Amino acid sequence: ATRTAFEAKLHTAIMDARADLICNAGFMRMLTGGFVDRWRDRQLNIHPSLLPAFPGLDTHRRALEEGVKIVGCTVHLVRLEMDTGPIIAQAAVPVLPADTPETLGRRVLAAEHLLYPHALALFASGRARVVNETIQILQSVNQEAALFSPSF
């Protein structure tokens, strides 16, 4: 009935499922600061543009109107502001001369289906992590230990 009640039920369902991460896809609802903060750095989102370009809705139409030659998709961590947060991964998709928002959208969606599992694997494995509001990607989870081990 209310936004607060919705988020309380959502949080309970996620906790009952013993989930470690939330992966938004097609989730068209802004969450409150309380929910976003509770799941900080544990909530991923995918957006159909190369953020920070074209946040929000109607990304493909807007990209075509602007005349860009490359679009794509972005997996990022959720922050309170819409379509912001540290970027985990992006995939580029060329804009073709005959593209419509629908044809472009289908190609971007295909890229999303490849990118999201890749980004999730990086993040869930610990290879992608947040450092000062950016994503640092390690070659392996042992790379961090190697960075601080003397080589002599």
Side-chain angles (χ1 to χ4, degrees):
T2 67
R3 195 173 183 190
T4 304
F6 169 79
E7 289 183 2
K9 282 192 137 190
L10 180 60
H11 177 73
T12 298
I14 294 166
M15 295 304 292
D16 288 349
R18 305 180 93 179
D20 295 319
L21 294 171
I22 300 170
C23 299
N24 300 340
F27 188 78
M28 303 298 287
R29 183 177 244 182
M30 293 295 294
L31 297 163
T32 65
F35 189 91
V36 170
D37 288 344
R38 181 179 289 150
W39 288 93
R40 185 176 183 86
D41 296 342
R42 296 183 297 149
Q43 184 176 186
L44 287 69
N45 185 50
I46 189 153
H47 182 73
S49 78
L50 293 173
L51 291 173
F54 307 112
L57 301 174
D58 300 317
T59 57
H60 310 306
R61 178 190 55 77
R62 291 167 42 215
L64 290 170
E65 287 173 357
E66 291 289 326
V68 299
K69 302 300 180 199
I70 298 173
V71 295
C73 51
T74 303
V75 176
H76 64 95
L77 291 172
V78 173
R79 295 295 185 258
L80 186 57
E81 296 80 26
M82 179 177 21
D83 296 328
T84 62
I87 293 171
I88 299 169
Q90 294 181 304
V93 174
V95 177
L96 304 177
D99 265 334
T100 65
E102 295 75 26
T103 60
L104 185 55
R106 283 193 293 272
R107 287 201 324 284
V108 170
L109 183 60
E112 289 181 40
H113 290 168
L114 297 173
L115 182 66
Y116 213 165
H118 168 73
L120 176 57
L122 280 174
F123 196 76
S125 72
R127 288 185 51 219
R129 64 181 185 169
V130 183
V131 177
N132 298 323
E133 281 303 288
T134 62
I135 296 294
Q136 179 183 65
I137 298 181
L138 304 173
Q139 295 303 313
S140 71
V141 289
N142 295 325
Q143 180 183 356
E144 182 176 11
L147 291 173
F148 298 104
S149 298
S151 59
F152 50 90

